[in-house]
Amino acid sequence: MNETEQLNRLQSSSLKVTPKRVEMYAYLAQEERYVSAKDVLDYMRAKHPTMSFDTVYRNLKSFAEEGLLEATELSGEKAFRVTCSAGHHHHHLICRGCGKTKLLDLCPMRYVEALDPDFEVIDHKFEIYGYCKQCKALRD
């Protein structure tokens, strides 16, 4: 995603577009993995030493509420990544070591729905956690 696309996504939200939000979103857009609020704080503090954890977390939460970010839990804490722009329904494989994601181009819901046809599914989230090749090698 280039800078123009990033800015367009921010502008299409109900959030006020500020230089720090643009900078934070640009950092998240360049990462191809889930990152923690602490990762974002460390990045932002390099240029803005007084930025607080609360400010970062509040912005991440607002971005997620606007659909700009996806959230998951890694190592007991929330982690965020820019919402995937694949343009179709899909899920992800997520590395518990580094947070990298890989597109999983299928949905297991047809199997789940077949288990109980009387249950009306209104939404779902399906993520598979494990270790990528590099992280698995570090663990071995």
Side-chain angles (χ1 to χ4, degrees):
M1 177 184 319
N2 65 37
E3 290 179 33
T4 303
E5 291 169 321
Q6 293 167 19
L7 189 56
N8 287 341
R9 279 183 122 179
L10 274 174
Q11 289 173 331
S12 68
S13 75
S14 67
L15 299 173
K16 182 178 178 184
V17 178
T18 66
K20 287 180 184 171
R21 280 188 175 150
V22 170
E23 189 175 343
M24 188 181 300
Y25 193 71
Y27 166 71
L28 289 156
Q30 72 161 357
E31 292 293 321
E32 293 182 2
R33 64 187 181 99
Y34 278 93
V35 295
S36 69
K38 185 184 178 323
D39 293 332
V40 177
L41 178 64
D42 290 345
Y43 174 81
M44 293 299 289
R45 276 197 175 157
K47 293 182 184 173
H48 311 283
T50 61
M51 184 169 269
S52 73
F53 181 82
D54 288 343
T55 298
V56 167
Y57 196 82
R58 221 177 14 258
N59 278 285
L60 292 171
K61 187 176 176 201
S62 295
F63 287 166
E65 288 170 353
E66 288 288 324
L68 299 169
L69 298 181
E70 296 172 357
T72 194
E73 190 171 310
L74 292 174
S75 303
E77 66 179 291
K78 274 231 192 256
F80 303 87
R81 73 184 290 272
V82 168
T83 300
C84 196
S85 59
H88 63 281
H89 184 78
H90 64 280
H91 299 283
H92 295 106
L93 300 172
I94 303 169
C95 179
R96 284 212 183 253
C98 64
K100 287 182 185 171
T101 64
K102 185 173 182 181
L103 186 90
L104 183 60
D105 227 354
L106 62 91
C107 180
M109 282 308 296
R110 63 183 169 150
Y111 304 109
V112 174
E113 291 169 337
L115 294 174
D116 187 350
D118 294 327
F119 185 79
E120 179 187 4
V121 176
I122 57 170
D123 196 10
H124 69 279
K125 183 175 183 178
F126 185 75
E127 298 172 334
I128 299 173
Y129 297 95
Y131 295 96
C132 68
K133 186 177 183 177
Q134 292 81 13
C135 291
K136 184 177 180 302
L138 292 174
R139 295 175 48 84
D140 292 340

